[in-house]
Amino acid sequence: MLEYSMLYPKSTASRRAVPLNGMWKFRLDENGTGRQQGWTDGIPGADWIPVPASFQDFYTDKDTREFTGDVWYETDAFVPSEWEGGQVLVRFGAATHRAEVYVNGIKVTEHEGGFLPFLADVTEIVRYNAHNKLIVKVNNELTETNIPCGQTITLENGKKMSKPYFDFFNYSGLQRAVYLMSVPTEAIFDFDLTYELEGIEGDYAKTAKIAYHVKTNGGHLVKLALFDENGEEAASAEGKDGILEVRNARLWQVRNAYLYRLVVQILDDSLVLDEYEQEIGIRTVEVKGTDILLNGKPVYLRGFGKHEDSDIVGRGFNIGVMKRDFELMKWIGANSFRTSHYPYAEEIYQMADREGFLVIDEVAAVGLFASMMNFMEASTGKQTAFFEKETTPILLKAHLKAIEEMVARDKNHPCVIAWSLLNEPETTNEAAVPYFKEVFEKARELDPQHRPRTFALVMNSTPGACKCYQFSDIIALNRYFGWYVSGGYEIVNAQAMFRKEMDSWRALNLNKPFIFTEYGADTLASEHKLPSVMWSQEYQKEYLEMTHSIFDSYDFVKGEQIWNFADFQTWEGILRVNGNKKGVFTRQRQPKDVAYLLKQRWESLPLDFKAGGVALPEGRSHNG
């Protein structure tokens, strides 16, 4: 069962985690014949490439950037002799979108799903006190039976091409960290935590009860100890199931994080057989009526839809970019973001834990709407009956597996306050209903904390047409009135259409919180024009002022996450000028003019904005 552990690699008293990041051998497999030619034993004539990173943007030729098919990676990993007698594992943070792994020429595992970790047990295959050859074949083809969805076509010259049903570039490869790990034969491979608070006053609870369930592959005693930030023991317990009771517990709060250190051990008398530790935050999250509650108090989300996207490394994890992004989010007054449109690298959640950001964690279920331009065509009311396909059961299986892996990996992060289970799917056909039912029930079943579940509704998912909004605990809307619909001088019509839809939602009296998970306007940082035109900085400002006035008019709207944090790469086309330009910041992480408008707004909004259902009069926007 340890193969399916999602615990982040750490070195402890009983474990070793050695990163294999660096320069790996690399080669495209243009003809898909690498396996037949023996590349599982070594890649001939290979180039060198950084890991972790996307492979596309290092090179200067278009065939490599657009390459669709198999790519091969190779490195050597030294396994010390002292690891013999335990378990030796290799762990990949992600391989996009599917991978086969070979050690010393022997296939050790395969995995489908490009944004979550997987492990291979190589204990019986590695040579000890020697170098071992690690080879990975990664395939980045898009299909309708795996998430994210799309097509792979063949051009007239015989080359394959990715045709995504989503509006971001199909970056791929070994985009996250790779580790070689040693763990004991009897080991901890998972634990669940739930929280109950009593007597909350300010940043503290008189008592916090942390119910836990530890999973191991043996029968020895399990012991837990919880330490505060001063290193003092705050609670302890024994057994695989039980309760840690913390007196005068410091709570994890929005932008005011406090983290305890949980140490879990397997003991044989006084001998430590295994040890794992993780920072945790004591907090509760729930939806009550139209409020999103953290530690029983209403919170108003302000922040972003984001992407893992930056120059040169593409979607590869970049620790420097991560740091810059969090500093910009703090500067602008944000408190939240959605991991659009896939689970992010684990280090980003660890950072959000430390910084007190609220995260809507999204599985890679994007493109479940058969259109290369769903952001445009859904606005026209187009319907695709996506879930009526013969292949839908295969897609559902992959989708459920990805949810299982995401929840297993991220369930103990205090920053994760909700699960987003789909982005902009086709919901206007009855065939979507049983699909959604399974997806939402699986997420509830898997999460011990029963966090709120949601999905982002595309523009044709209106109150009268959407068959699936009832499954969401939080109604999340992606709306582009004033951009894809009635932009420019027609913005007055866009505002009227927007209000008409919001009035229709209000008439349903759902008694649920609404948040906007996307809204925005493409803007070139270089473009200024008076009077404004679309794509100018002036128009982006006018668009936001109109949009915010709508948000502020409805008491059930409890959050706004603008699209997008920063400009990002997409496929090329007449609607995209070298990428999506809806960023508040440029791709190089510098502010556009609208960043200052958002900073003024967000810093003026109280954390409990509209708590108890108080909205501003129609037509007015909160400006502090």
Side-chain angles (χ1 to χ4, degrees):
M1 285 191 288
L2 194 60
E3 269 195 59
Y4 301 100
S5 174
M6 287 286 171
L7 297 180
Y8 186 77
K10 290 184 178 178
S11 293
T12 68
S14 58
R15 295 171 172 239
R16 296 293 180 268
V18 177
L20 298 179
N21 303 333
M23 297 300 286
W24 289 43
K25 289 183 179 179
F26 175 79
R27 184 168 174 178
L28 306 180
D29 188 356
E30 289 95 341
N31 300 314
T33 56
R35 192 190 292 108
Q36 294 90 318
Q37 294 180 17
W39 293 11
T40 56
D41 295 312
I43 307 172
D47 192 11
W48 294 84
I49 200 169
V51 172
S54 307
F55 71 81
Q56 284 91 344
D57 284 354
F58 293 116
Y59 297 95
T60 56
D61 65 294
K62 199 163 185 175
D63 284 343
T64 302
R65 187 191 71 199
E66 302 293 333
F67 183 79
T68 297
D70 295 338
V71 297
W72 292 72
Y73 291 82
E74 176 186 327
T75 194
D76 283 337
F78 185 84
V79 180
S81 57
E82 57 264 29
W83 287 16
E84 198 164 4
Q87 295 184 81
V88 180
L89 310 169
V90 60
R91 184 189 194 265
F92 296 84
T96 311
H97 295 281
R98 57 194 61 80
E100 295 177 3
V101 181
Y102 299 84
V103 173
N104 298 330
I106 299 171
K107 183 177 178 180
V108 295
T109 194
E110 60 184 71
H111 183 264
E112 184 168 45
F115 301 96
L116 288 159
F118 60 99
L119 286 166
D121 187 338
V122 296
T123 308
E124 303 301 323
I125 295 168
V126 296
R127 296 186 291 267
Y128 293 91
N129 206 32
H131 287 279
N132 294 263
K133 194 176 294 295
L134 172 60
I135 292 175
V136 190
K137 179 173 76 73
V138 180
N139 178 276
N140 69 346
E141 295 178 35
L142 298 174
T143 72
E144 292 187 345
T145 57
N146 184 44
I147 54 175
C149 293
Q151 299 175 17
T152 297
I153 66 169
T154 302
L155 302 176
E156 290 296 324
N157 61 5
K159 295 182 182 296
K160 294 178 181 177
M161 180 181 178
S162 298
K163 300 287 281 187
Y165 296 166
F166 48 86
D167 185 32
F168 54 94
F169 193 76
N170 188 34
Y171 281 120
S172 42
L174 295 181
Q175 302 187 125
R176 296 182 187 157
V178 182
Y179 279 89
L180 187 68
M181 299 165 55
S182 170
V183 300
T185 53
E186 185 172 345
I188 302 152
F189 65 87
D190 197 9
F191 58 91
D192 298 336
L193 303 173
T194 59
Y195 302 94
E196 183 182 332
L197 307 178
E198 297 175 0
I200 298 174
E201 291 186 13
D203 291 342
Y204 291 85
K206 183 178 180 182
T207 305
K209 294 180 179 178
I210 307 173
Y212 68 84
H213 172 58
V214 179
K215 299 174 186 176
T216 75
N217 60 349
H220 280 92
L221 176 69
V222 171
K223 183 176 180 180
L224 292 83
L226 190 69
F227 298 91
D228 64 21
E229 290 188 355
N230 296 320
E232 300 292 328
E233 186 175 289
S236 63
E238 291 185 355
K240 292 184 180 181
D241 296 275
I243 293 176
L244 289 160
E245 190 165 306
V246 186
R247 300 289 184 183
N248 198 32
R250 178 80 179 268
L251 300 178
W252 188 92
Q253 304 273 36
V254 183
R255 300 291 300 110
N256 180 22
Y258 189 90
L259 297 175
Y260 289 84
R261 182 168 60 95
L262 177 65
V263 178
V264 185
Q265 294 179 322
I266 301 175
L267 298 175
D268 184 359
D269 293 329
S270 60
L271 179 65
V272 177
L273 300 180
D274 190 24
E275 178 180 278
Y276 188 82
E277 63 178 56
Q278 182 167 319
E279 290 182 317
I280 67 168
I282 296 175
R283 62 98 185 93
T284 60
V285 59
E286 64 178 319
V287 164
K288 194 170 185 180
T290 65
D291 284 328
I292 301 168
L293 303 178
L294 188 82
N295 302 324
K297 296 178 181 177
V299 296
Y300 185 87
L301 306 184
R302 48 185 193 262
F304 299 97
K306 290 182 89 275
H307 264 296
E308 288 184 298
D309 175 280
S310 61
D311 282 333
I312 301 174
V313 298
R315 193 145 290 118
F317 175 68
N318 185 316
I319 194 169
V321 171
M322 175 186 73
K323 174 63 175 176
R324 174 67 172 178
D325 285 1
F326 273 92
E327 291 303 312
L328 289 174
M329 288 192 291
K330 290 191 289 185
W331 170 82
I332 205 170
N335 63 20
S336 67
F337 59 91
R338 176 174 61 130
T339 70
S340 42
H341 295 299
Y342 37 80
Y344 289 177
E346 293 150 285
E347 293 84 357
I348 294 173
Y349 299 78
Q350 294 166 7
M351 190 74 155
D353 289 342
R354 296 186 194 107
E355 296 285 3
F357 276 84
L358 305 174
V359 174
I360 298 175
D361 201 1
E362 185 162 275
V363 75
V366 58
L368 283 73
F369 188 116
S371 169
M372 308 301 175
M373 297 186 296
N374 62 335
F375 55 90
M376 285 284 291
E377 294 189 307
S379 304
T380 69
K382 177 178 177 176
Q383 301 179 359
T384 68
F386 188 85
F387 298 100
E388 286 187 343
K389 299 176 186 292
E390 289 183 9
T391 55
T392 297
I394 304 172
L395 174 65
L396 177 60
K397 184 178 179 181
H399 193 164
L400 294 174
K401 178 173 176 283
I403 292 171
E404 183 175 359
E405 292 176 347
M406 176 179 71
V407 174
R409 192 193 72 166
D410 298 337
K411 63 189 173 184
N412 292 321
H413 285 289
C415 67
V416 176
I417 63 159
W419 308 111
S420 178
L421 303 178
L422 311 95
N423 178 74
E424 296 191 342
E426 168 63 270
T427 67
T428 61
N429 185 281
E430 287 290 345
V433 175
Y435 189 102
F436 272 65
K437 186 173 186 292
E438 281 206 52
V439 162
F440 274 76
E441 286 179 352
K442 175 59 74 172
R444 176 54 53 92
E445 169 196 330
L446 292 170
D447 180 18
Q449 295 183 19
H450 296 325
R451 291 170 180 83
R453 302 152 299 165
T454 189
F455 75 98
L457 279 70
V458 73
M459 285 193 70
N460 74 342
S461 294
T462 57
C466 180
K467 311 295 184 186
C468 299
Y469 63 79
Q470 68 274 14
F471 293 108
S472 287
D473 302 305
I474 300 169
I475 306 295
L477 302 179
N478 293 359
R479 293 296 181 267
Y480 291 99
F481 294 103
W483 186 250
Y484 295 125
V485 175
S486 297
Y489 193 48
E490 293 182 66
I491 196 170
V492 64
N493 290 351
Q495 184 170 13
M497 294 166 67
F498 201 169
R499 286 197 182 278
K500 183 178 179 181
E501 182 184 336
M502 293 306 294
D503 289 343
S504 297
W505 284 114
R506 179 165 56 188
L508 292 177
N509 195 26
L510 297 180
N511 196 31
K512 293 181 178 182
F514 280 60
I515 60 174
F516 284 88
T517 38
E518 289 187 28
Y519 63 101
D522 283 274
T523 306
L524 295 178
S526 60
E527 198 67 27
H528 288 275
K529 191 156 188 177
L530 279 176
S532 73
V533 294
M534 295 173 73
W535 292 86
S536 70
Q537 301 233 40
E538 288 73 20
Y539 185 76
Q540 191 180 31
K541 179 175 182 290
E542 292 167 12
Y543 166 90
L544 286 187
E545 287 172 341
M546 180 277 287
T547 305
H548 292 155
S549 73
I550 301 288
F551 297 170
D552 293 350
S553 300
Y554 295 89
D555 57 8
F556 53 85
V557 173
K558 296 302 172 68
E560 54 195 65
Q561 294 181 330
I562 191 171
W563 190 258
N564 188 284
F565 171 77
D567 295 345
F568 60 91
Q569 194 65 58
T570 64
W571 41 264
E572 57 185 328
I574 59 173
L575 294 172
R576 293 285 174 253
V577 185
N578 187 25
N580 190 306
K581 294 296 190 289
K582 291 189 182 68
V584 172
F585 300 95
T586 66
R587 201 179 190 208
Q588 292 71 40
R589 274 52 182 185
Q590 296 301 331
K592 298 180 186 177
D593 289 358
V594 77
Y596 298 93
L597 181 150
L598 283 169
K599 178 178 173 65
Q600 180 185 26
R601 172 178 171 81
W602 287 348
E603 288 183 341
S604 73
L605 293 181
L607 181 60
D608 62 351
F609 183 45
K610 290 193 281 190
V614 178
L616 296 179
E618 279 198 12
R620 291 188 57 195
S621 180
H622 193 285
N623 58 14

